[in-house]
Amino acid sequence: SDFVVIARDTKPYEEAFLAACRENEVSCFIDRRIPLITMPPAVAAVCAVDMALSLTSDNILKFLKSGIGILSPEEIATLENYVFVWNIKGGDWADEWKMSAAGLVREEDDLNENTKEELKIINDLRAKAIAPVLKFKKDFGETPKEKASAIIKLFERCDAAKNFKISAEKYKDTNKEMYGASAQSWSMLMGALDSICACFGDIQISSKEFYN
């Protein structure tokens, strides 16, 4: 009842093959490599180191969108809109935002109670998003072991293992290949961090070297 198709290079045929299988209701699995760097846990880890190198709104938002689970997609969108309207810089995330949640409006509109409430919500989201990031930047030490440990502590604060697992579940019934890759990516990332610690130990290296 099962069969295997083997080819030297399957890539030219994969999409046509998948389409034919779907059309004829035949379940299939294509065994192909998916780079770890494209998986949510690795994206979050790389974004974290990127933030240690240079804290910008772009890399903060990318980190939040990785699936780390600090904020919901709707909450991230609310923050992103405000950041775009007011051109918020990375260093501004640690301070309370006081510009109108309605954008560029007349001064009397700034006194609107609804606008004040919206601004409070936005600042609550900002504080929730940036708190683990600022702790991570303090933890990000000089040696590979300290840097890897900072990433793990960051993930623990965000309950990342559970959140990435929940994120992977959405592929369970629709994309077995992606579900398998997502499920394995967490342990692969932890293995990569272990390998970095084993190879470099307590040797001091720059954050840029660690990032590379």
Side-chain angles (χ1 to χ4, degrees):
S1 62
D2 296 334
F3 60 90
V4 179
V5 177
I6 300 174
R8 190 182 298 265
D9 181 12
T10 62
K11 197 167 184 179
Y13 313 104
E14 287 175 7
E15 293 307 317
F17 190 81
L18 284 170
C21 287
R22 282 194 292 265
E23 186 177 338
N24 293 279
E25 298 182 352
V26 175
S27 61
C28 71
F29 169 74
I30 296 181
D31 186 14
R32 55 187 168 189
R33 290 184 181 275
I34 299 177
L36 177 61
I37 195 64
T38 64
M39 293 289 100
V43 170
V46 170
C47 285
V49 181
D50 211 5
M51 290 187 295
L53 287 168
S54 176
L55 193 64
T56 68
S57 288
D58 282 345
N59 55 37
I60 293 171
L61 289 169
K62 188 176 179 182
F63 173 73
L64 295 174
K65 292 176 183 179
S66 69
I68 194 80
I70 300 174
L71 301 178
S72 70
E74 294 77 15
E75 290 171 332
I76 296 171
T78 298
L79 273 183
E80 189 169 24
N81 287 338
Y82 188 92
V83 167
F84 175 77
V85 169
W86 291 108
N87 193 26
I88 302 294
K89 306 299 183 185
D92 298 330
W93 282 72
D95 303 319
E96 182 182 0
W97 294 341
K98 298 181 180 180
M99 293 78 76
S100 172
L104 298 170
V105 293
R106 294 174 303 175
E107 186 176 349
E108 57 265 28
D109 290 331
D110 286 342
L111 302 176
N112 184 293
E113 288 302 320
N114 289 336
T115 305
K116 287 181 180 179
E117 183 60 29
E118 287 177 32
L119 185 58
K120 181 182 182 305
I121 291 171
I122 288 171
N123 269 301
D124 288 345
L125 295 176
R126 173 198 58 77
K128 186 178 179 182
I130 201 63
V133 173
L134 295 178
K135 288 179 182 177
F136 164 75
K137 284 177 69 67
K138 288 182 180 178
D139 292 339
F140 201 69
E142 299 297 327
T143 69
K145 192 176 289 185
E146 290 171 338
K147 294 177 191 299
S149 175
I151 293 173
I152 292 170
K153 287 178 183 176
L154 171 64
F155 280 4
E156 287 174 350
R157 290 189 196 105
C158 301
D159 207 2
K162 183 185 79 172
N163 293 326
F164 285 130
K165 184 177 180 181
I166 292 171
S167 180
E169 288 292 324
K170 66 184 178 183
Y171 297 111
K172 192 170 186 178
D173 297 322
T174 58
N175 191 330
K176 296 290 185 182
E177 181 185 13
M178 185 58 71
Y179 174 66
S182 298
Q184 294 174 28
S185 61
W186 177 265
S187 59
M188 290 178 68
L189 174 64
M190 293 300 111
L193 292 175
D194 283 343
S195 295
I196 289 172
C197 292
C199 288
F200 295 100
D202 294 321
I203 299 171
Q204 288 196 6
I205 65 172
S206 70
S207 296
K208 185 65 177 175
E209 287 175 306
F210 184 84
Y211 178 85
N212 290 334

